[in-house]
Amino acid sequence: LHSGACQAVVVAGWDRVTLSPSSVRPGLRRRWCDDAQDALNAAAPRTAGLLGLLGRHRAATLAAARSSSAIVAKAGSLNLKTQVLRAKMAAKGRHRLCIFKSNKHIYAQVIDDTQHHIIAAAASVEKDLKDKGLNVDTAKQVGLLAGERAKAKGIESVYFDRNGFKYHGRVAALADGAREAGLVF
């Protein structure tokens, strides 16, 4: 497929779409992204499992892939390796135990990536845990709460998304608490 500012090549038998701009100037960037999305939407039946994304305009290709029912994360927020891992695990039917920690609090969520819903959540900002401060014991209690709430909703197996934080200290304590509550990962 070729239009004025974009050329999209769909390789038969591959789950990869390669987009290459032909003379992208600042004025043509929006048109290039629109043409790229149109080209991907036209090729959607062959690229339903779109996992390989190339080019410096990855945000446009991810938006087009999302509209063609592929499972991907937010465009530009994660690296490609993480997006592919999340898509594979969601395709297997496993939910994601995602954590976030700040200097004051720690949060845990069990997320269904296929429907983009939060199934269960716990955080150190809740009334029971807010007065204890942020330490390893509080993180373990957050993991226990998240695990119990997920088990109550029927979730038994998840995969642990440490969200770029090192598996050490509060992160490891949260994971241990979720395992004690009965989650398998």
Side-chain angles (χ1 to χ4, degrees), residues 72-132:
V72 291
K74 286 185 178 178
S77 62
L78 302 168
N79 63 14
L80 184 61
K81 184 177 177 181
T82 305
Q83 291 172 1
V84 170
L85 173 71
R86 287 183 181 178
K88 284 181 183 178
M89 291 298 185
K92 289 181 182 178
R94 292 180 65 186
H95 301 292
R96 175 168 51 114
L97 175 61
C98 183
I99 65 142
F100 176 77
K101 71 174 186 170
S102 68
N103 290 336
K104 290 186 173 185
H105 300 288
I106 191 161
Y107 308 85
Q109 297 176 335
V110 178
I111 301 171
D112 181 5
D113 282 322
T114 57
Q115 297 178 353
H116 306 291
H117 287 282
I118 297 171
I119 298 169
S124 63
V125 296
E126 296 179 7
K127 289 182 181 180
D128 303 342
L129 303 172
K130 196 170 190 176
D131 298 333
K132 295 183 180 180

Side-chain angles (χ1 to χ4, degrees), residues 3-170:
S3 64
C6 169
Q7 182 179 8
V9 180
V10 179
V11 181
W14 289 57
D15 290 331
R16 169 166 275 170
V17 173
T18 305
L19 296 173
S20 59
S22 58
S23 74
V24 176
R25 294 189 304 266
L28 292 177
R29 180 169 290 188
R30 183 178 177 92
R31 181 176 167 203
W32 187 88
C33 292
D34 291 341
D35 290 342
Q37 185 166 357
D38 292 342
L40 280 176
N41 288 338
R46 282 193 269 171
T47 59
L50 185 66
L51 296 178
L53 300 171
L54 297 176
R56 62 184 180 151
H57 297 285
R58 195 172 74 202
T61 57
L62 286 176
R66 188 178 295 117
S67 69
S68 67
S69 75
I71 302 167
V72 291
K74 286 185 178 178
S77 62
L78 302 168
N79 63 14
L80 184 61
K81 184 177 177 181
T82 305
Q83 291 172 1
V84 170
L85 173 71
R86 287 183 181 178
K88 284 181 183 178
M89 291 298 185
K92 289 181 182 178
R94 292 180 65 186
H95 301 292
R96 175 168 51 114
L97 175 61
C98 183
I99 65 142
F100 176 77
K101 71 174 186 170
S102 68
N103 290 336
K104 290 186 173 185
H105 300 288
I106 191 161
Y107 308 85
Q109 297 176 335
V110 178
I111 301 171
D112 181 5
D113 282 322
T114 57
Q115 297 178 353
H116 306 291
H117 287 282
I118 297 171
I119 298 169
S124 63
V125 296
E126 296 179 7
K127 289 182 181 180
D128 303 342
L129 303 172
K130 196 170 190 176
D131 298 333
K132 295 183 180 180
L134 183 59
N135 52 26
V136 173
D137 296 331
T138 306
K140 190 168 189 174
Q141 291 297 317
V142 169
L144 280 167
L145 275 175
E148 290 169 0
R149 291 174 183 171
K151 291 289 279 187
K153 298 272 179 115
I155 307 297
E156 295 180 5
S157 177
V158 297
Y159 75 96
F160 189 62
D161 180 9
R162 54 187 177 81
N163 215 2
F165 298 106
K166 290 183 179 179
Y167 191 83
H168 176 75
R170 291 177 282 168

